[in-house]
Amino acid sequence: MSTRPQTAFVLSGGAALGAIQVGMLSALYERGIEPDLIVGTSVGAVNGAFIASRPFTSATTDELAEIWRRLGRAQVFPLNPLTGFLGFFGARRYLIPQGGLRDLLVEHIEFARLEETAVPFHVITTDVLTGSEVRLSRGPALDAVLASAAIPGVFPPVDWGDRHLMDGGIANHAPISDALELGAERIYLLSTGIASDLTEPPHGALGMLLHSMSLLLMRRLQVEVELLADRAELIVLPPPSRPGVSPIDFSQSDELVQGGLEVSRTFLDGLDSGKIADAASGLDHPSIDDSKRREILERVLASTGFEVGCQECFELVNEYTELELAGIEAGTLIPGLRTHLDRCSACNEDHESLRALLAQPAAERN
């Protein structure tokens, strides 16, 4: 008798673009696809908290979609001139109070503690002082989700014991690696993508900040998908095209929900019929040329047999790749990679060839 693979839903960050995930969830529920565990970061933690305690049915996603349709920017990002002034001049560590988001979560989260959900729910945050990822699986649910959504400089960090936590997307925008560590064998990645079809730059400092963050984090996500796709069955649901919609624009939620539903239906149908061969191809975007990134990753992997066995190794290889993409002499700028490889026991790999690759001049590596 066949056993269904341990299935994880991984929900990425994306601010207002999180409405896309509601449509994706609808498409999954239509097919009877349910998670055995949920991992969310930033707005993905907000959506994840909603579904973690509710039935995996269309009624649940219909309810969540209605919340998104009623949501306005002023509820999530209520601009306060005094708070903004104090934050700008260093009297406070944030520009916007988190009261609006807190009220929204209090109204719709049905459990007090993370460990109380029927399906395990894990929230990704970032330690303010170290920049390291902190995965929360137990403790106050409200504080955990607020911490995961605490965009640095925009919302206040959240105190968690002796730590100060902020937006999980900074450390891990789409926590595939966490799902693997938690035992997932099949992973559905619900990524909001990037606002790459804008016809003009976002208006206002907040909009520009969120847009810039989404561009940076998506580049990291593409590297992570490349490195981790063979560690489990990875299905990356493609976000819909959304011309002109920025991460701060809540006025298009209905269109984003519907777009996420339609594109996900088409993608899943294509996988079932065999028309789409690569289940991890959902992040492909015509405006992003990742051929160079693939070339660098393939060279590193081929020369080392490198398998990401620890988070720090992944972070360092990702940084190495990004610097090479920028044409910078990565071998001299990342001595930490060689140092870490000397003491890394988690990877269980011989990294001598990677050290040799890093020692080469950039011209020879290219």
Side-chain angles (χ1 to χ4, degrees):
M1 184 175 70
S2 62
T3 303
R4 183 174 69 87
Q6 180 85 349
T7 300
F9 285 3
V10 173
L11 291 85
S12 76
L17 303 178
I20 293 170
Q21 293 173 344
V22 184
M24 292 174 168
L25 289 167
S26 295
L28 293 170
Y29 290 176
E30 287 176 351
R31 286 168 166 73
I33 300 172
E34 302 179 359
D36 298 304
L37 63 100
I38 300 166
V39 187
T41 189
S42 199
V43 73
V46 175
N47 285 330
F50 186 89
I51 66 171
S53 64
R54 291 173 168 85
F56 303 125
T57 64
S58 296
T60 293
T61 53
D62 288 347
E63 183 182 355
L64 183 55
E66 185 57 32
I67 294 171
W68 273 96
R69 292 186 184 102
R70 296 198 309 264
L71 201 59
R73 189 179 80 170
Q75 292 173 266
V76 181
F77 300 115
L79 298 177
N80 183 308
L82 176 59
T83 303
F85 177 84
L86 293 173
F88 183 80
F89 286 102
R92 289 187 179 175
R93 294 178 293 177
Y94 58 93
L95 299 176
I96 298 174
Q98 219 168 23
L101 180 57
R102 175 181 286 274
D103 291 344
L104 184 70
L105 295 175
V106 167
E107 181 178 356
H108 296 292
I109 293 182
E110 297 181 326
F111 49 96
R113 297 182 63 83
L114 295 174
E115 63 268 27
E116 293 175 354
T117 57
V119 173
F121 175 48
H122 307 273
V123 175
I124 306 303
T125 68
T126 303
D127 187 299
V128 172
L129 298 181
T130 67
S132 61
E133 176 187 324
V134 180
R135 183 172 70 222
L136 305 178
S137 303
R138 302 180 63 85
L142 177 61
D143 288 343
V145 177
L146 282 172
S148 186
I151 301 168
V154 178
F155 289 131
V158 173
D159 294 336
W160 188 278
D162 59 354
R163 283 176 143 166
H164 307 288
L165 303 180
M166 63 179 176
D167 194 326
I170 302 302
N172 204 342
H173 178 61
I176 302 169
S177 56
D178 288 88
L180 289 169
E181 290 178 7
L182 292 164
E185 301 166 304
R186 175 181 292 160
I187 300 172
Y188 288 90
L189 173 60
L190 285 65
S191 170
T192 60
I194 57 174
S196 57
D197 298 316
L198 298 179
T199 56
E200 59 182 14
H203 297 291
L206 179 58
M208 197 65 188
L209 171 64
L210 293 179
H211 177 61
S212 301
M213 285 178 58
S214 75
L215 293 174
L216 177 64
L217 295 173
M218 179 53 63
R219 293 190 68 179
R220 171 203 161 124
L221 176 56
Q222 289 176 311
V223 174
E224 185 164 359
V225 168
E226 290 285 340
L227 288 173
L228 302 181
D230 62 348
R231 300 277 298 278
E233 182 184 358
L234 180 60
I235 300 97
V236 181
L237 298 182
S241 176
R242 50 207 178 279
V245 182
S246 78
I248 199 175
D249 184 1
F250 288 86
S251 67
Q252 306 296 317
S253 291
D254 190 40
E255 290 81 357
L256 294 178
V257 171
Q258 191 61 31
L261 173 61
E262 293 174 356
V263 171
S264 296
R265 279 174 173 168
T266 300
F267 187 77
L268 292 169
D269 285 344
L271 290 178
D272 291 341
S273 66
K275 292 181 179 178
I276 298 176
D278 184 2
S281 64
L283 288 180
D284 292 349
H285 193 287
S287 69
I288 301 174
D289 179 11
D290 64 350
S291 59
K292 182 64 174 176
R293 177 180 291 105
R294 289 174 183 268
E295 175 189 331
I296 295 169
L297 283 171
E298 287 172 1
R299 185 169 65 247
V300 171
L301 295 174
S303 68
T304 63
F306 185 82
E307 181 176 344
V308 181
C310 74
Q311 187 67 21
E312 187 172 352
C313 271
F314 168 74
E315 294 288 349
L316 291 167
V317 170
N318 177 51
E319 185 178 354
Y320 165 78
T321 303
E322 292 300 317
L323 287 171
E324 278 226 0
L325 282 169
I328 297 172
E329 170 52 71
T332 57
L333 291 182
I334 316 182
L337 179 51
R338 288 193 293 271
T339 300
H340 178 68
L341 294 177
D342 287 333
R343 59 180 171 79
C344 178
S345 59
C347 294
N348 299 315
E349 292 285 346
D350 180 359
H351 293 297
E352 288 302 323
S353 52
L354 180 55
R355 292 190 187 94
L357 179 70
L358 292 171
Q360 294 176 10
E364 294 181 22
R365 290 201 306 272
N366 295 329

